[in-house]
Amino acid sequence: MNIILIGIIVANVLISYKGFNDLYFFRKYEFHIGSIRAGEQIRMLSSGFLHADFMHLAFNMLTLWFFAPVVINGLGNFSFALVYFGSLIFGSLLTMIFHKNDYSYRAVGASGAVTGVLYSAILLEPNNELWIYGLLPIQGYIFGILYLLYSIYGMKAKNDNIGHTAHFGGAIGGYLITLIKEPSLVYDQTFIVVLLLVPILILFGMAKLGKL
């Protein structure tokens, strides 16, 4: 049982629970473009410890619980924390870039940080099988590609309240931090590294062309 992982999960549960029962607290620390642009940068971090409801919280924490050990075993405690918090910040920064003129945009959740951990785990152990709904097995790197492409679709469609941009930013954070910490992966897992880079390039290409 890893104390850093437990600490992160406990912090998410306690802060989210406070937000469930205190709307003022929730509004004060959620991700909100207008408030952040007015100088409240703490929201870029604090919003990652708030969740919309118990299901949102449970899904993120269960995903973290399943994939964090791969990163901890592969990179160590400090680098795991770096991946988690670095991905959280990457998710917030990318959201700011893509929604900078939407002053009413709001979001909460650890999804960016958790997605960063997920993609770090995929880079470290790409052939691990994931079980979708406990029924359908799929290799980790295939899931990673599909998830990023789905996030691009969600960003373009804008037909739900899911923070797809934070997911994508978190994935980029986990990808970059892991490769910086373990550059040998570029040689040992060249195919996977390039494959995971493709949807990232597609995203920025679409943004450049004004397709998002």
Side-chain angles (χ1 to χ4, degrees), residues 18 23 31 36 46 52 57-58 67 71 90 94 96-97 101 103 116-117 133 146-147 157 164 173 181 201 204:
K18 172 70 173 175
L23 184 59
F31 189 98
I36 293 171
S46 62
L57 172 64
F67 290 99
V71 182
F90 261 88
L94 195 68
M96 282 296 297
I97 291 170
N101 294 320
Y103 282 68
V117 171
Y133 298 115
L146 294 176
Y147 191 89
H164 295 285
K181 298 298 293 186
L201 295 176
F204 286 103

Side-chain angles (χ1 to χ4, degrees), residues 172-185:
I172 294 171
Y175 179 89
L176 292 177
I177 294 168
T178 303
L179 291 181
I180 290 170
K181 298 298 293 186
E182 289 290 335
S184 62
L185 289 171

Side-chain angles (χ1 to χ4, degrees), residues 4-197:
I4 296 176
L5 175 58
I6 295 300
I8 288 173
I9 291 174
V10 169
N12 271 278
V13 170
L14 292 179
I15 294 171
S16 293
Y17 184 76
K18 172 70 173 175
F20 296 155
N21 297 284
D22 187 338
L23 184 59
Y24 174 79
F25 179 86
F26 186 90
R27 291 300 185 205
K28 181 175 176 60
Y29 293 108
E30 68 178 346
F31 189 98
H32 180 242
I33 295 288
S35 299
I36 293 171
R37 294 197 62 173
E40 297 179 25
Q41 278 80 22
I42 186 63
R43 291 171 179 262
M44 297 182 72
L45 180 64
S46 62
S47 59
F49 290 88
L50 290 168
H51 289 81
D53 51 42
F54 279 109
M55 286 300 296
H56 186 205
L57 172 64
F59 179 81
N60 274 336
M61 294 304 99
L62 282 173
T63 303
L64 180 64
W65 180 259
F66 288 136
F67 290 99
V70 176
V71 182
I72 293 168
N73 292 334
L75 300 179
N77 287 332
F78 175 79
S79 293
F80 162 68
L82 185 62
V83 168
Y84 185 90
F85 289 101
S87 297
L88 194 165
I89 296 300
F90 261 88
S92 292
L93 287 174
L94 195 68
T95 304
M96 282 296 297
I97 291 170
F98 278 87
H99 298 280
K100 62 181 181 293
N101 294 320
D102 183 359
Y103 282 68
S104 62
Y105 183 90
R106 301 174 184 272
V108 292
S111 300
V114 172
T115 305
V117 171
L118 170 64
Y119 279 94
S120 179
I122 289 172
L123 280 171
L124 293 167
E125 295 188 15
N127 292 316
N128 268 3
E129 279 192 339
L130 307 178
W131 286 82
I132 307 301
Y133 298 115
L135 300 172
L136 177 66
I138 182 172
Q139 286 186 305
Y141 71 90
I142 296 175
F143 175 82
I145 293 293
L146 294 176
Y147 191 89
L148 286 182
L149 293 175
Y150 170 69
S151 292
I152 292 177
Y153 166 78
M155 290 167 65
K156 185 174 176 59
K158 299 176 182 177
N159 58 2
D160 56 34
N161 293 319
I162 297 173
H164 295 285
T165 314
H167 293 176
F168 214 104
I172 294 171
Y175 179 89
L176 292 177
I177 294 168
T178 303
L179 291 181
I180 290 170
K181 298 298 293 186
E182 289 290 335
S184 62
L185 289 171
V186 175
Y187 305 101
D188 297 338
Q189 303 284 4
T190 304
F191 175 72
I192 301 302
V193 169
V194 172
L195 202 62
L196 288 177
L197 181 62

